[in-house]
């Protein structure tokens, strides 16, 4: 087995654990490369099916290419797609001038709405440890309390492959099957498995997106990588961090920690 | 071929783990410019303004303000030889459960000892925990050599102390390296300040570590994780814990004690001839009706050697909860995909995991960070193997309500 086989098998094991223990399960699909990899792994775990809903938290500010990709592949893969938007906040004129407030309203609060509406006990999320220092501290199975708080100071131990299989009442569990993957692992896997991906990630006129989210908060990077091979080559030589183009991480040193403590992904 | 290696960095608080990891990333050119900037900004916000490599790893606000690592974290870097995952484990006694969480994911360990302080409480405890958790490969670094004037004598003394200690648990360090973490001596580059040291740098030492050996050739153990029914077909799903499962192979399910024949291995891509240890797969059996009674927790095994099947477990257990274990208490035991309730019948050889002092031969309770031999009576049958032979089947956790409160191994 090579490293990708190992990562794949571990992720599938975790997905199946989540499915065994939590019947009200959903996979959070942001249409980006990580959560699309996650959806792919769900299909592998269930021999081509996606036996629980895929949840898209729509801020309304996503790239048009993302909406198109979402609609095409949710059909193709027979997914039960649930879309949640915080309409009240948008109607009240929420924009991304204040990053923390905007992410909190349109992502975190929208996620709370979705959980309340559908009664999800557990969510599969495609976060990775190498994305951001604070995510390096995550567990594979990570409980959130009623108010969504992540008690990062006192996380439950997680030994070997034994994960938290029961939640206290009034909490939901976040499950992170991709935690051990790095950015370049994702790309190597997308290539090996020929997973479809939106072409926002590939260079046009000398620029490409390395991480995608809202049009308002994502800046493309200078790059001539026009296809997967070139992206892999670029990543093998770069040192700039992946989320460098993401505005919400930047405000101050601990923005990401604050966002995450409030329940951000 | 594996191209990556995971190691855990352990040692007493303040002996310089976070600094060393930051330095390793810096020396291997693994720090992104914005992370350098982040380190610089955070140092400016600190009172003394000294740039701290430790900031690269300590990301929680509380960790930076108090300059202490609370939780385990993982970070990535590479050398020309391979990719590494460093697991940073906190050095405070109260965060031992985080150190253990980190260590159970590792295939090797890096143990730090500060030269001026020598072996401390958590140095001893971490060394012992590593041996319990079955980590066999170990590098030791003696840090802060600048604070002891690069004294060879001091180095040799600590080296002797730590080696002796480790030998008591059948651990032998691959090498012991004198370093200065924040200035980089013997981290990536040989230093001229310790000409008496003829060995390798830490980075070269890391490249000498071996990835965990594959257990493909071992005896077959396939713990059933779940049973799916798709298009009229029943599929046992799970991950092969050891050995290789092949189509046409005769297997026996334990603890049920039922034999069957493998029809084929199933994946999204279709029918496969076989699957080796580590793979998450589906298994379809030949005989109709063979699926009767099969569910999560059954383990498909070679006809021989059989695992141990029974309802009594004798194990070495480390306790990780502030709420002590009481003799007579009932806990849930999870081993691979098996889960049973069990009652604690006996707590013997209750041990301080740092001093290794036996606190009681026959105890009524077990406290946080202590280790003991437990006799557990399960309310159902389960199968296990000695930890040394099939690690996945020889280790388990104990749960109280919804929390993991202990880990254990059977020998
Ligand atoms: N003089 C000296 N100080 C060091 C060295 N390595 C680390 N330190 C300092 O020791 C303190 C504790 O280091 P830290 O990495 O936070 O320790 P940890 O608790 O093991 O992670 C910090 O103030 C470091 O700057 C070293 O080699 N020499």
């Amino acid at each position: 087995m090579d490293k990708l086989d190992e990562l794949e098998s571990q992720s599938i094991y975790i997905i199946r654990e989540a499915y065994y223990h939590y019947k009200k399960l959903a996979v959070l699909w942001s249409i980006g490369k990580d959560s699309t990899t996650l959806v792919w792994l769900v299909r592998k775990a269930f021999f081509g099916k996606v036996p629980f809903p895929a949840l898209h938290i729509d801020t309304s500010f996503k790239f048009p290419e993302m909406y198109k990709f979402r609609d095409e592949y949710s059909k193709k893969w027979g997914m039960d797609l649930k879309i949640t938007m915080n309409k009240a906040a948008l109607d009240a004129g929420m924009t991304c001038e204040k990053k923390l407030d905007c992410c909190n309203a349109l992502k975190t609060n929208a996620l709370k709405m979705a959980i309340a509406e559908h009664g999800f006990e557990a969510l599969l999320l495609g976060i990775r440890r190498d994305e951001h220092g604070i995510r390096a501290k995550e567990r594979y199975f990570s409980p959130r309390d009623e108010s969504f708080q992540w008690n990062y100071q006192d996380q439950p131990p997680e030994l070997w492959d034994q994960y938290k299989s029961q939640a206290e009442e009034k909490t939901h569990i976040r499950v992170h099957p991709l935690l051990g993957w790095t950015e370049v692992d994702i790309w190597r896997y997308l290539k090996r498995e020929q997973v479809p991906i939106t072409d926002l990630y590939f260079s046009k006129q000398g620029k490409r997106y390395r991480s995608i989210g809202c049009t308002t908060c994502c800046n493309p990077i200078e790059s001539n990588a026009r296809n997967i091979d070139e992206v892999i080559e670029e990543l093998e030589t770069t040192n700039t961090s992946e989320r460098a183009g993401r505005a919400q991480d930047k405000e101050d040193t601990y923005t990401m920690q604050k966002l995450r403590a409030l329940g951000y992904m | 071929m594996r191209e990556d290696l995971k190691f855990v960095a352990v040692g007493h608080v303040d002996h310089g783990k976070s600094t060393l990891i930051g330095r390793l990333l810096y020396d291997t050119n693994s720090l992104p410019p914005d992370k350098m900037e982040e380190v610089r900004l955070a140092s400016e916000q600190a009172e003394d303004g000294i740039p701290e490599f430790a900031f690269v790893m300590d990301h929680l606000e509380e960790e930076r303000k108090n300059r202490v690592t609370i939780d385990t974290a993982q970070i990535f870097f590479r050398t020309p030889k391979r990719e590494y995952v460093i697991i940073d484990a906190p050095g405070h006694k109260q965060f031992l459960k985080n150190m253990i969480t980190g260590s159970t994911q590792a295939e090797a360990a890096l143990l730090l000892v500060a030269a001026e302080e020598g072996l401390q409480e958590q140095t001893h405890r971490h060394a012992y925990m590593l041996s319990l958790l079955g980590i066999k490969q170990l590098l030791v670094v003696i840090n802060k050599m600048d604070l002891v004037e690069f004294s060879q004598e001091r180095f040799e003394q600590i080296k002797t102390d730590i080696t002796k200690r480790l030998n008591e648990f059948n651990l032998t360090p691959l090498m012991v390296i004198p370093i200065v973490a924040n200035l980089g001596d013997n981290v990536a580059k040989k230093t001229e300040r310790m000409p008496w040291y003829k060995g390798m740098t830490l980075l070269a030492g890391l490249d000498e570590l071996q990835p965990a050996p594959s257990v493909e050739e071992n005896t077959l153990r396939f713990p059933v994780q779940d049973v799916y029914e798709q298009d009229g077909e029943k599929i046992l799903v799970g991950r092969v814990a050891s050995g290789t499962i092949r189509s046409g192979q005769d297997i026996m399910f334990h603890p049920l004690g039922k034999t069957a024949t493998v029809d084929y291995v199933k994946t999204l891509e279709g029918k496969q001839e076989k699957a080796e240890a580590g793979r998450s797969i589906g298994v379809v059996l030949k005989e109709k009706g063979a699926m009767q009674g099969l569910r999560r927790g059954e383990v498909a095994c070679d006809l021989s050697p059989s695992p141990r099947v029974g309802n009594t477990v004798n194990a070495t257990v480390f306790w990780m909860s502030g709420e002590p274990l009481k003799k007579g208490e009932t806990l849930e035991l999870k081993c691979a995909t098996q889960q049973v309730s069990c009652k604690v019948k006996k707590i013997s050889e209750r041990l301080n995991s740092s001093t290794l002092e036996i606190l009681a031969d026959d105890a009524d309770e077990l406290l946080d960070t202590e280790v003991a031999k437990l006799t557990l009576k399960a309310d159902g049958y389960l199968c296990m193997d000695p930890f040394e032979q099939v690690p996945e089947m020889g280790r388990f956790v104990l749960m109280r309500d919804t929390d993991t409160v202990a880990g254990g191994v059977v020998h």
Side-chain angles (χ1 to χ4, degrees), chain B residues 24-323:
Chain B
L24 269 173
L25 296 177
Y26 179 78
D27 285 345
T28 52
N29 210 11
S30 311
L31 282 181
D34 58 332
K35 195 154 257 174
M36 270 319 275
E37 182 65 11
E38 204 182 315
V39 172
R40 198 183 58 77
L41 279 178
S43 311
E44 265 173 24
Q45 285 164 19
E47 267 159 34
D48 57 14
I50 299 171
E52 274 286 359
F53 281 110
F55 282 172
V56 176
M57 292 300 286
D58 292 343
H59 270 281
L60 301 174
E61 190 162 2
E62 294 78 354
E63 291 183 333
R64 288 193 180 171
K65 289 219 171 108
N66 304 326
R67 298 208 165 174
V68 43
T69 309
I70 293 173
D71 206 345
T72 179
Q74 299 195 7
I75 211 143
F76 306 81
F77 77 98
R78 64 185 150 224
T79 63
K81 175 156 174 168
R82 63 183 161 214
E83 291 174 10
Y84 286 93
V85 182
I86 317 178
I87 303 169
D88 185 16
H92 260 297
K93 182 177 176 187
Q94 70 189 108
F95 305 128
L96 185 70
K97 62 177 183 171
N98 297 335
M99 177 268 172
I100 293 171
T101 294
S103 301
T104 63
Q105 317 293 333
E107 45 205 324
L110 175 64
L111 175 63
L112 268 96
V113 187
E116 90 289 19
E117 286 194 10
L119 275 57
Q120 295 292 315
E121 185 184 349
Q122 303 322 311
T123 321
H124 290 292
R125 179 167 280 120
H126 288 178
Y128 179 57
M129 290 312 306
L130 291 175
S131 76
L132 260 191
L133 297 170
I135 292 181
K136 300 205 171 58
Q137 294 192 86
L138 179 75
L139 292 178
V140 175
V141 290
I142 312 294
N143 187 30
K144 307 197 188 184
M145 286 301 294
D146 55 324
L147 298 185
V148 296
E149 289 155 8
F150 306 101
S151 154
Q152 177 175 13
E153 202 181 322
R154 179 72 183 150
F155 170 76
E156 293 296 343
Q157 182 199 334
I158 298 176
K159 180 177 170 176
T160 308
D161 291 350
I162 189 69
T163 306
K164 204 168 132 224
R165 189 64 172 183
L166 290 165
N167 287 345
E168 286 171 34
F169 330 123
N170 294 323
L171 276 174
T172 309
L174 196 63
M175 50 188 92
V176 182
I177 310 171
I179 64 162
V180 182
N182 53 0
L183 301 173
D185 300 59
N186 287 342
V187 176
K189 275 199 232 65
K190 283 219 72 149
T191 179
E192 280 157 23
R193 299 196 283 183
M194 291 176 268
W196 44 265
Y197 175 72
K198 307 289 181 218
M200 289 187 188
T201 62
L202 173 58
L203 215 52
L206 287 170
D207 277 346
E208 293 296 305
L209 295 168
Q210 301 296 317
S214 153
V215 286
E216 271 169 57
E217 307 298 325
N218 213 337
T219 179
L220 172 70
R221 298 292 183 257
F222 172 68
V224 175
Q225 190 179 6
D226 208 342
V227 182
Y228 298 160
E229 185 160 358
Q230 276 190 3
D231 312 317
E233 184 179 57
K234 284 203 169 158
I235 311 158
L236 302 170
V237 301
R239 184 159 55 162
V240 184
S242 95
T244 301
I245 192 162
R246 293 185 165 83
S247 92
Q249 182 177 1
D250 292 324
I251 50 177
M252 183 158 203
F253 288 93
H254 290 286
L256 191 62
K258 171 176 178 164
T259 51
T261 308
V262 176
D263 190 355
Y264 58 89
V265 170
K266 186 182 168 90
T267 65
L268 174 63
E269 290 75 21
K271 296 184 182 183
Q272 314 292 333
E273 274 299 302
K274 60 169 191 167
E276 75 270 33
R279 289 218 189 253
S280 282
I281 49 159
V283 170
V284 176
L285 300 178
K286 254 200 184 121
E287 306 86 352
K288 287 228 160 53
M291 294 292 293
Q292 194 80 38
L294 293 185
R295 55 193 169 85
R296 181 181 169 96
E298 290 297 324
V299 184
C301 303
D302 277 328
L303 299 184
S304 79
S306 302
R308 293 180 197 156
V309 182
N311 60 357
T312 302
V313 178
N314 289 302
T316 306
V317 168
F318 43 93
W319 192 252
M320 299 186 289
S321 165
E323 222 15 63

Side-chain angles (χ1 to χ4, degrees), chain A residues 84-147:
Chain A
T84 299
M85 202 186 269
N86 186 350
K87 290 215 181 64
L90 283 167
D91 289 347
M94 177 57 76
T95 59
C96 47
E97 248 132 62
K98 283 217 174 113
K99 310 278 184 264
L100 212 140
D101 293 348
C102 184
C103 278
N104 201 36
L106 299 186
K107 292 187 182 170
T108 310
N109 289 340
L111 181 61
K112 284 184 188 167
M113 290 163 51
I115 290 179
E117 186 188 341
H118 303 290
F120 296 131
E121 300 165 311
L123 293 172
L124 299 174
L125 267 74
I127 66 164
R128 305 188 329 268
R129 285 199 177 108
D130 74 328
E131 275 176 283
H132 192 284
I134 188 104
R135 286 182 175 170
K137 310 247 179 213
E138 270 288 1
R139 301 283 196 264
Y140 288 104
F141 282 60
S142 177
R144 292 295 189 279
D145 70 11
E146 196 179 0
S147 59

